[in-house]
Amino acid sequence: MHNSDFQIELVTHFNQIRHQLTDPGQITVLHLAAELVGIASGSGMGPPETQILALGAQRSAREYFRLTPPGRQEFELAIERVEDEIIRASKLLPLHAKLYSSDQLVRQIALLAGVPDSAFMLLDLETMERCFSRLAAVIQGQPATHEGIPLDNNFAATLLILREFMHHLSFSSICILRGV
């Protein structure tokens, strides 16, 4: 997908989420796709500010992970590279914006973290960090089945991107909407 097509998709996601909210205020929409990550922020009915990051579940898994599950060193390197890319987004984001997504991969993480399935799910940073710790345990040698997470590098990359995004950009939670 070209950046211009992804840009259109990102703005569409933003508008669909904004229209589902009664009083959206300042919102940021995170769109995690296979090859790119999109961020759209805004308030009111005006067009959002957007940024596209050179990340994505499949792209990051392909570029950073050679082993399944990822090895410790390659995971540490992936964390550094994802952090660097995410820090670029910090200039775009307004203070006190609420974070939203309608991505199936983010929903999957919330479900694995123990958030009950519903049309409106709230994954807080602490719960997401516990899920990330389960992935870290698998990388340290714990069986994935013991931790209850998929042995899938796309999942690992998505969780890594979400964790670094929330952690470094100071989002205390992410609201996940269904049906967008």
Side-chain angles (χ1 to χ4, degrees):
M1 177 180 290
H2 290 61
N3 279 7
S4 59
D5 294 335
F6 186 73
Q7 176 83 15
I8 292 166
E9 185 178 303
L10 174 61
V11 171
T12 300
H13 275 264
F14 178 88
N15 288 329
Q16 289 172 335
I17 288 173
R18 177 172 49 191
H19 291 299
Q20 286 192 29
L21 306 173
T22 54
D23 181 22
Q26 193 71 263
I27 68 169
T28 296
V29 172
L30 177 65
H31 180 37
L32 289 150
E35 298 296 320
L36 299 167
V37 169
I39 306 158
S41 278
S43 64
M45 295 311 294
E49 289 189 49
T50 61
Q51 188 164 4
I52 297 174
L53 305 179
L55 297 170
Q58 292 175 11
R59 179 185 199 158
S60 296
R62 182 177 62 249
E63 290 179 4
Y64 304 137
F65 305 146
R66 303 290 173 244
L67 304 172
T68 303
R72 287 183 209 167
Q73 289 180 337
E74 64 184 1
F75 197 71
E76 290 294 326
L77 181 59
I79 289 172
E80 289 176 23
R81 291 186 177 162
V82 168
E83 283 175 352
D84 290 345
E85 189 68 11
I86 285 173
I87 294 304
R88 289 188 326 109
S90 64
K91 297 176 216 117
L92 165 73
L93 301 175
L95 293 174
H96 312 297
K98 292 182 181 176
L99 182 61
Y100 291 88
S101 181
S102 60
D103 296 333
Q104 189 57 40
L105 292 172
V106 177
R107 177 175 288 284
Q108 179 187 9
I109 290 169
L111 291 169
L112 287 169
V115 177
D117 191 13
S118 69
F120 182 90
M121 300 168 69
L122 186 66
L123 175 63
D124 64 65
L125 182 61
E126 183 178 321
T127 303
M128 189 276 310
E129 288 284 2
R130 283 195 303 271
C131 190
F132 187 80
S133 293
R134 290 164 53 198
L135 173 61
V138 171
I139 290 168
Q140 300 286 337
Q142 189 74 256
T145 54
H146 183 265
E147 293 298 328
I149 62 171
L151 187 59
D152 174 9
N153 285 350
N154 290 342
F155 171 81
T158 302
L159 182 53
L160 169 61
I161 293 165
L162 179 63
R163 190 257 184 189
E164 297 304 315
F165 189 86
M166 291 178 69
H167 181 75
H168 289 287
L169 300 178
S170 301
F171 285 103
S172 61
S173 63
I174 184 168
C175 305
I176 304 132
L177 302 177
R178 182 180 3 202
V180 176

